Amino acid sequence: MAINSRFSILFFSLALSGCSAAFRIKQNLTDGQIVDPAVVRKPSLERTIGIFPKFEDYLEGYFLGGIVDPEGHALQGVAVHVTDENGNAMESFDVGVTDQDGLYKVHFSLPIRWNRVNFTGAVTVESPWKVSAPKPQFVIKYVGTAGILAYYAKPMWIPVKSTVPKLPEIKAPPPAPKQKSEDGFGDFDLGK
């Protein structure tokens, strides 16, 4: 009898911990813009029945994009942040930094509510850069019951401009013209 009750408690705790999550990502329709997507179960601060931890599901992965200057050249070392559609900073997204090819990779962890994720955000960059295009929004959608993940971004490459004013170019003065000497033999070296 004690073995059955121990087994029941073990089974009940496994069921509460979320080891039996029924939904996963079956179709990734992001065309390479979201990589390494996964549904991850994490413990929350809340407790169920007073003792067992409560678990919540999160959609995690990395989304990719690129940063270019107004001439279309890739920029390296630009810090990329994500805000929500109202412009508030999002803790669910890490800061990304562009590589030598101008590409960034930002890790995200979004809570799944009612088997869905529907997040609209925007990409911003740190000073001395400023996004020069209209607000570069993106949408991450996930439907857990179907296991479908989608990502909509316009555009993939985001143009930015510098906020530092350009200094005027200082041109060196042209060399002074040689002065002609008064005598007719001034340009000749006669062994003086």
Side-chain angles (χ1 to χ4, degrees), residues 53-110:
K54 183 178 178 182
F55 287 80
E56 294 179 350
D57 294 315
Y58 290 83
L59 175 66
E60 293 193 354
Y62 296 88
F63 79 90
L64 309 175
I67 303 291
V68 293
D69 65 12
E71 289 80 37
H73 301 107
L75 293 173
Q76 181 179 4
V78 178
V80 176
H81 297 271
V82 173
T83 63
D84 65 9
E85 56 192 336
N86 298 323
N88 301 319
M90 294 298 301
E91 293 180 7
S92 302
F93 291 82
D94 292 342
V95 176
V97 178
T98 57
D99 63 10
Q100 68 273 6
D101 297 324
L103 297 172
Y104 60 84
K105 185 177 181 181
V106 175
H107 180 262
F108 65 90
S109 179
L110 296 169

